[in-house]
Amino acid sequence: PPGILYHFTKFYLKRVIPLLTRLFRGSADAQELMEYYWDTIEQCVPPDTILAALKAAGFTQVRRHVVMGLFSEYSGVRPDA
């Protein structure tokens, strides 16, 4: 289950950033755009799908490194061509 950092980040990106965007930009459209930012993060391709795609593309030593419990960094070694 997601931890407190996940919930804080979700609240911050879904509520605080859109409000600040509206206040500083004066644009309802900019606010609406920022309200969808978290939705795009939450709807990302599942990690197992990305790892499988990297392996299927021929990469070896495929790994996923999670940063701050929220962001993923993927890496692999390209076989010699």
Side-chain angles (χ1 to χ4, degrees):
I4 192 159
L5 182 60
Y6 173 90
H7 292 294
F8 172 78
T9 305
K10 180 177 181 176
F11 174 79
Y12 182 74
L13 291 175
K14 196 158 178 76
R15 301 287 181 232
V16 176
I17 292 297
L19 179 61
L20 291 175
T21 300
R22 175 68 180 258
L23 292 174
F24 288 104
R25 300 291 298 163
S27 167
D29 290 338
Q31 178 182 1
E32 184 177 11
L33 177 65
M34 293 310 298
E35 287 171 355
Y36 287 109
Y37 185 65
W38 175 260
D39 295 337
T40 63
I41 292 171
E42 205 166 42
Q43 297 298 317
C44 284
V45 175
D48 290 339
T49 302
I50 295 171
L51 293 169
L54 288 169
K55 289 176 186 175
F59 287 91
T60 61
Q61 300 177 31
V62 174
R63 298 181 309 182
R64 174 184 177 223
H65 176 71
V66 179
V67 179
M68 296 174 45
L70 183 64
F71 303 103
S72 294
E73 176 183 275
Y74 298 91
S75 64
V77 175
R78 183 183 67 180
D80 293 325

